[in-house]
Amino acid sequence: MSSQVKFTDFKSDKQPTWCPGCGDFGTMNGMMKGLAETGNDPDNTFVVAGIGCSGKIGTYMHSYAIHGVHGRALPVGAGVKMANPELEVMVAGGDGDGYSIGAGHFVHAVRRNVDMSYVVMDNRIYGLTKGQASPTSREDFETATTPEGPKQPPVNPLALALASGATFIAQSFSSDALRHQEIVQQAIEHDGFGFVNVFSPCVTFNDVDTYDYFRDSLVDLADTDYDATDREAAKEKVLDADKEYMGVLYQDEDSVPYEAQHGLDSPMHEVDDGAPEGAMDLVREFY
Amino acid sequence: MPADFNWAIGGEAGDGIDSTGKIFAQALSRAGRHVFTSKDFASRIRGGYTAYKVRTSVDKVQSVVDRLDVLIALTPRTIDENLDELHDGSVIIYDGERTTMQDVEIPGEMIGLNVPLKALAEEAGGAIMRNVVALGAACAVTSFPIENLDSSLKKRFGDKGQAIVENNKEAARKGLEYVREEYDEEDLEYDLDTTDNDYVLLNGDEAIGMGAIAAGCKFYAGYPITPATDVMTYLTGRIEQFGGHVVQAEDELAAINLALGAARSGARSMTATSGPGIDLMTETFGLVATSETPLVICDVMRSGPSTGMPTKQEQGDLNMLLYGGHGEIPRFVLAPTTVAECFWKTVEAFNLAEQYQTPVYLTSDLSLAVTEQTFEPDAFDMDAVEIDRGKVVDDDSIGDHRTEQGQFKPHELTDDGVSPRAFPGTAGGAHMSTGLEHDELGRRTEDTEMRVKQVEKRDRKVETARAEEDWSPREFGDPEAENLVVSWGSNEGALVEALDLLEEEDVEVRVLSVPYIFPRPGLSEAFESAEEVVVVECNATGQFADVLEHDTLTRVKRVNKYNGVRFKADELAADIKETLEA
Ligand SMILES: Cc1ncc(C[n+]2csc(CCOP(=O)(O)OP(=O)(O)O)c2C)c(N)n1
Ligand code: SF4
């Protein structure tokens, strides 16, 4: 079936309620194209969405999917994949969802290295709750809840991922359609946790981190001779305070995903009609 | 000589009290004696008083009592802590050479056996075996054939090699011989018979874990917390043999969300925790119910609120399990009443979860969790396990549950409230599910009519279950008695034994032990035909009593215990009698 899959097969018939011009449109298109291009179809794909404008993505896509509670999409995705390693699992959410309320899970999802992709629509603001500072907002970014700016350094998701032992770290920009799709595809194809931080501008509440800003400032690693398998080079890049990068910042080509480490190779949905064969041995153990 | 025999070993945490106690309990069980164990322990790893108690009889035992016949005291505090349970004629085994035990005075008419545990252990190969020397001494006191100890020593130390096992056997024999040589056997009146019966010995957490595997559970995610951790420990290394997997999550939020994810993949899935963990899981609990995901969530209760008394008994979470979560959430709440029922209710919980696509709270408590009890192996007859996965559709049958446009309806409005379920991978079943209110396709809606229909659909599942399933209580005692005693959870064993004691005092009682908190049996008739109703529970406010008063519009009397210690049979009999007379 997969050969005939078009990316629009991943589209639901719900019209997005995102603001016209929202970066999430482009982010979603890249995700759908990436899934189709890597040979998946809606029936073998599971999308887990967080909560936020970004989290609405599950509703606009067509696949097996769940729209969870705020900040907890990653463990749901891991559970889906562990219980059925044959599924293609993609988790999506926002910067608030992933790096604030869900920051703990982020660190552990990275460490766990389940073979799934994680797309964070980073608009450096809380969109759905109407414009409060997010963990990636700039120190001086003025919002209703931070009139003088948060006065604390933003979370550096790439550095956090690297420090936590990530096996795939990438950054993309929703309006650079081709590059974005390419990067998402690489994350899907990576054997392990494919993390992509996507700059996905909020045109309604963030007038600093705009399309123009990213277009002008992002450095595409594809235009350089950067070696993404070099962890030392990655350290330098993710900690670079002067520049922001697009592309794959780090990939461990020897990554062994969680499922392989734990021998999870088949779906767990089959259950015997009664207790499994040999279950009486469990009782005998208590003699 | 009393029909049953009560034995304990006590000392400081870190003294190996638990494993020594368990070795003796296993030896008794293998010798065809019934065993019921309990633990006094504090929330510390080293230091602090801790004890392992064993009540044993050739008859069934289901409770602890206020009596100790033989005590191995590794510290003076062990004697002090148990003074009210010791009696004239109790035997206290201690090592008078141990610095802390040198000035110990054996109270009253009790018999002190001063056994050089450490010195004898060293003779057998190492001081570490002093507890085993004490077990040998206990065999001498009770005329319990020491060969029975050998196989449980092998079970405990077999992994460490044959030499270690032999040294331990030798240590036990040194204790036995020392007592035989130094003390007059006539003073030591206890006599433990053996039988040919085969029993298994396990605790409630283990029974829940075993029930989960029996029910085809393949996925478990949890975060360690007393007293639920043993469920995870049990499953680890075992569930894999049946194609399953255990994840130690980063916290309870992750645990329940991992379990939810696995359930959506179609696996029978479970998490277990204790009160504070349930608090953290509550938000996702609502999502589980709204997305109609089958999930078993086990709450092994301990004393609350907050971190409360982590190592103490309580049944204080009932209201949270019944009502916890924002909005209104249909759910099932099952509460096994015995260790064996921990197994069967777990099996039932998985069936209910899938038949009704609803979260099931399976609640046990610390007393069940840490109590090891003997059963005939038949009590866990795997052939009797039945599995019902509910309305799962496959590639062929899915066609009946699609719209004209070919979209699958995971939240289809049905008469019984249960919708079709398609595991991911089912062709043409792709669908979205959400914690937002949704339509039949699972898509967000704020349509007032659809909202009402979906709420009613979810509630209808409970009505269907009420009609379809058997929610009866377990009944004991005299069915004609004027006095009715109702209990839930782990109090059943103590209550059953209290019945005999009450009978001796001419108090006739009918007992209903209720394993279903929601839905629960209708008790109006039973309440009306009773003169007095007493509800027994381990909490201060009488949460179950409140619920039953509300159901039956009848005032009940209450027996509540909330000091952190489970009911003892003799104490409970006295409390019930007093309450009935008040
Ligand atoms: C437990 C909980 N707390 C708060 C909220 C409210 N809430 C919804 S979305 C959101 C922030 C979303 O920000 P982000 O993840 O950056 O996504 P965006 O909307 O910007 O795409 C918050 C705080 C919630 N739904 N649940
Ligand atoms: S508020 Fe911002 S993030 Fe949300 S839809 Fe509008 S533009 Fe997008």
Side-chain angles (χ1 to χ4, degrees):
Chain A
M1 176 171 178
S2 53
S3 57
Q4 294 112 32
V5 169
K6 303 184 294 295
F7 92 88
T8 45
D9 291 344
F10 283 98
K11 231 181 173 114
S12 82
D13 57 358
K14 274 271 185 195
Q15 278 309 309
T17 55
W18 288 319
C19 308
C22 174
D24 294 352
F25 286 99
T27 308
M28 180 170 74
N29 279 337
M31 290 163 63
M32 295 192 297
K33 285 184 180 153
L35 283 166
E37 284 296 315
T38 48
N40 294 290
D41 66 57
D43 287 335
N44 83 335
T45 303
F46 202 112
V47 173
V48 185
I51 297 283
C53 295
S54 43
K56 290 181 176 178
I57 201 156
T59 314
Y60 310 140
M61 288 176 67
H62 176 64
S63 70
Y64 282 93
I66 188 160
H67 182 208
V69 298
H70 195 30
R72 319 290 166 208
L74 282 172
V76 176
V80 169
K81 182 73 181 182
M82 289 176 193
N84 188 351
E86 291 172 3
L87 297 173
E88 183 62 50
V89 178
M90 183 178 271
V91 181
D95 41 299
D97 189 70
Y99 309 141
S100 200
I101 189 167
H105 302 311
F106 177 60
V107 169
H108 295 282
V110 166
R111 288 177 60 216
R112 214 172 264 134
N113 202 32
V114 168
D115 186 12
M116 59 190 192
S117 46
Y118 181 40
V119 177
V120 179
M121 284 155 261
D122 184 359
N123 53 14
R124 299 181 168 170
I125 186 99
Y126 284 11
L128 194 68
T129 47
K130 301 198 158 71
Q132 301 81 24
S134 101
T136 48
S137 294
R138 294 158 191 256
E139 272 193 85
D140 57 357
F141 185 65
E142 294 169 16
T143 73
T145 50
T146 56
E148 295 168 43
K151 297 186 173 173
Q152 21 184 340
V155 165
N156 179 336
L158 309 181
L160 187 57
L162 191 68
S164 307
T167 58
F168 183 95
I169 304 171
Q171 192 149 262
S172 81
F173 175 34
S174 69
S175 97
D176 194 336
L178 271 180
R179 281 295 281 142
H180 170 56
Q181 174 191 337
E182 235 170 61
I183 292 165
V184 170
Q185 260 171 251
Q186 279 178 274
I188 293 173
E189 277 162 354
H190 174 68
D191 283 335
F193 187 73
F195 165 52
V196 190
N197 191 63
V198 188
F199 294 120
S200 190
C202 173
V203 292
T204 305
F205 297 111
N206 192 334
D207 54 7
V208 180
D209 301 290
T210 59
Y211 285 99
D212 283 346
Y213 163 74
F214 288 116
R215 204 172 288 130
D216 295 345
S217 61
L218 278 178
V219 176
D220 190 346
L221 292 171
D223 302 335
T224 69
D225 59 358
Y226 181 69
D227 174 7
T229 63
D230 181 349
R231 200 161 187 270
E232 288 304 314
K235 272 187 206 163
E236 215 173 281
K237 284 279 180 287
V238 302
L239 289 173
D240 186 344
D242 300 325
K243 284 201 186 71
E244 309 210 62
Y245 298 93
M246 181 160 71
V248 179
L249 285 113
Y250 179 65
Q251 180 163 22
D252 175 359
E253 291 181 325
D254 300 326
S255 160
V256 181
Y258 182 97
E259 306 88 280
Q261 299 229 21
H262 290 85
L264 306 179
D265 49 19
S266 48
M268 295 177 184
H269 54 60
E270 299 285 342
V271 167
D272 295 344
D273 284 342
E277 204 171 321
M280 211 54 209
D281 289 346
L282 295 171
V283 182
R284 287 189 201 104
E285 243 188 88
F286 290 110
Y287 272 119
Chain B
M1 192 177 59
D4 62 75
F5 175 81
N6 293 280
W7 173 96
I9 179 166
E12 288 203 358
D15 274 346
I17 302 298
D18 244 37
S19 61
T20 316
K22 184 147 186 185
I23 288 167
F24 197 55
Q26 262 165 355
L28 291 162
S29 151
R30 284 179 174 217
R33 295 186 61 87
H34 274 294
V35 168
F36 187 95
T37 75
S38 61
K39 293 177 193 175
D40 296 345
F41 63 117
S43 195
R44 326 178 30 163
I45 306 308
R46 290 202 72 86
Y49 166 72
T50 172
Y52 188 104
K53 297 185 171 174
V54 175
R55 184 173 164 216
T56 176
S57 168
V58 287
D59 304 320
K60 196 168 169 187
V61 275
Q62 319 184 53
S63 158
V64 279
V65 289
D66 270 327
R67 185 184 166 91
L68 252 188
D69 304 308
V70 171
L71 173 66
I72 297 173
L74 299 182
T75 56
R77 184 169 167 196
T78 307
I79 300 173
D80 296 339
E81 289 278 349
N82 293 287
L83 265 187
D84 55 347
E85 291 183 14
L86 291 162
H87 54 87
D88 288 353
S90 287
V91 174
I92 299 173
I93 298 169
Y94 67 103
D95 183 349
E97 290 176 8
R98 195 176 185 177
T99 358
T100 53
M101 297 300 283
Q102 273 163 2
D103 305 322
V104 153
E105 279 184 36
I106 300 302
E109 300 291 305
M110 294 171 202
I111 303 161
L113 298 192
N114 182 348
V115 184
L117 302 176
K118 185 171 170 221
L120 291 172
E122 277 166 351
E123 282 177 28
I128 192 161
M129 295 183 294
R130 64 187 178 143
N131 292 0
V132 177
V133 175
L135 290 181
C139 288
V141 176
T142 54
S143 312
F144 182 64
I146 195 162
E147 296 71 34
N148 291 299
L149 207 54
D150 294 345
S151 65
S152 54
L153 287 170
K154 183 153 180 267
K155 185 163 177 161
R156 176 75 179 82
F157 299 112
D159 291 348
K160 300 189 173 161
Q162 190 56 28
I164 303 274
V165 175
E166 291 306 321
N167 287 352
N168 275 282
K169 286 187 191 169
E170 170 71 11
R173 277 162 182 75
K174 287 209 178 290
L176 177 96
E177 281 153 21
Y178 186 88
V179 173
R180 288 219 173 123
E181 276 161 27
E182 300 292 319
Y183 293 92
D184 193 347
E185 276 189 57
E186 313 224 319
D187 288 346
L188 313 171
E189 54 180 314
Y190 302 101
D191 210 347
L192 297 187
D193 298 330
T194 60
T195 78
D196 291 335
N197 297 336
D198 271 337
Y199 295 127
V200 291
L201 180 74
L202 69 166
N203 69 32
D205 275 356
E206 290 165 334
I208 287 172
M210 195 166 76
I213 295 179
C217 172
K218 295 282 170 64
F219 189 87
Y220 177 93
Y223 187 75
I225 184 168
T226 304
T229 313
D230 281 353
V231 176
M232 177 155 57
T233 312
Y234 175 82
L235 288 172
T236 305
R238 287 190 181 80
I239 201 170
E240 292 86 348
Q241 296 162 23
F242 297 88
H245 186 57
V246 172
V247 188
Q248 182 177 323
E250 56 270 29
D251 55 33
E252 286 84 353
L253 302 156
I256 189 170
N257 280 284
L258 277 152
L260 163 74
R264 292 219 67 89
S265 269
R268 287 199 150 193
S269 174
M270 173 165 94
T271 180
T273 183
S274 190
I278 293 288
D279 288 347
L280 290 178
M281 291 181 180
T282 304
E283 185 196 19
T284 299
F285 177 75
L287 169 67
V288 174
T290 309
S291 63
E292 308 196 73
T293 308
L295 191 65
V296 177
I297 303 160
C298 173
D299 176 19
V300 187
M301 293 178 288
R302 62 188 213 180
S303 291
S306 192
T307 358
M309 298 195 289
T311 61
K312 300 294 170 192
Q313 162 69 358
E314 200 164 280
Q315 297 177 292
D317 298 353
L318 183 136
N319 282 339
M320 176 168 64
L321 299 176
L322 266 179
Y323 309 117
H326 63 284
E328 297 167 312
I329 305 178
R331 67 193 80 198
F332 297 115
V333 185
L334 311 189
T337 56
T338 66
V339 169
E341 278 300 302
C342 284
F343 175 87
W344 290 108
K345 286 285 169 283
T346 304
V347 173
E348 201 176 331
F350 278 99
N351 285 336
L352 287 171
E354 291 205 319
Q355 282 173 283
Y356 297 96
Q357 296 170 28
T358 297
V360 179
Y361 274 135
L362 176 74
T363 180
S364 86
D365 54 43
L366 182 129
S367 292
L368 286 175
V370 303
T371 291
E372 273 138 352
Q373 204 182 337
T374 37
F375 296 91
E376 315 264 348
D378 272 1
F380 306 97
D381 177 11
M382 294 291 175
D383 290 335
V385 170
E386 287 172 15
I387 307 285
D388 187 340
R389 305 213 65 189
K391 290 194 197 169
V392 177
V393 296
D394 57 21
D395 291 5
D396 299 325
S397 57
I398 196 167
D400 301 337
H401 304 280
R402 294 207 291 210
T403 62
E404 280 165 18
Q405 291 76 37
Q407 292 156 305
F408 176 59
K409 295 189 280 188
H411 301 284
E412 188 175 27
L413 297 165
T414 55
D415 289 342
D416 61 2
V418 185
S419 306
R421 179 171 174 228
F423 298 151
T426 309
H431 66 270
M432 158 86 176
S433 204
T434 170
L436 292 163
E437 193 53 273
H438 44 255
D439 59 15
E440 287 184 285
L441 298 177
R443 298 181 313 188
R444 172 192 188 154
T445 183
E446 286 172 7
D447 178 273
T448 50
E449 262 176 59
M450 184 48 75
R451 158 69 178 176
V452 170
K453 282 182 180 159
Q454 288 294 341
V455 169
E456 289 175 354
K457 180 197 108 73
R458 293 191 291 264
D459 282 347
R460 208 151 56 234
K461 296 195 268 192
V462 176
E463 292 320 309
T464 306
R466 261 193 232 275
E468 298 281 317
E469 315 291 331
D470 181 6
W471 307 100
S472 314
R474 293 147 70 85
E475 176 150 8
F476 304 93
D478 174 6
E480 307 294 328
E482 289 180 347
N483 301 311
L484 177 65
V485 176
V486 181
S487 130
W488 67 282
S490 64
N491 312 314
E492 180 181 298
L495 203 46
V496 169
E497 292 198 348
L499 273 179
D500 295 339
L501 301 169
L502 285 165
E503 205 173 330
E504 281 167 23
E505 305 208 21
D506 290 327
V507 183
E508 296 292 342
V509 171
R510 175 186 182 197
V511 172
L512 298 178
S513 173
V514 183
Y516 300 107
I517 307 298
F518 192 83
R520 54 186 167 270
L523 296 181
S524 297
E525 243 172 72
F527 277 34
E528 268 160 32
S529 58
E531 197 77 15
E532 298 278 8
V533 181
V534 180
V535 178
V536 171
E537 55 193 315
C538 283
N539 56 42
T541 57
Q543 297 178 28
F544 196 48
D546 288 346
V547 163
L548 295 181
E549 282 187 343
H550 179 272
D551 284 357
T552 60
L553 301 177
T554 308
R555 279 251 169 261
V556 300
K557 292 184 167 176
R558 295 155 190 242
V559 169
N560 299 86
K561 192 170 182 193
Y562 43 93
N563 64 353
V565 183
R566 69 187 307 154
F567 283 111
K568 295 176 180 174
D570 34 11
E571 161 205 56
L572 186 54
D575 283 356
I576 290 173
K577 183 163 186 255
E578 196 185 316
T579 307
L580 283 170
E581 283 164 1

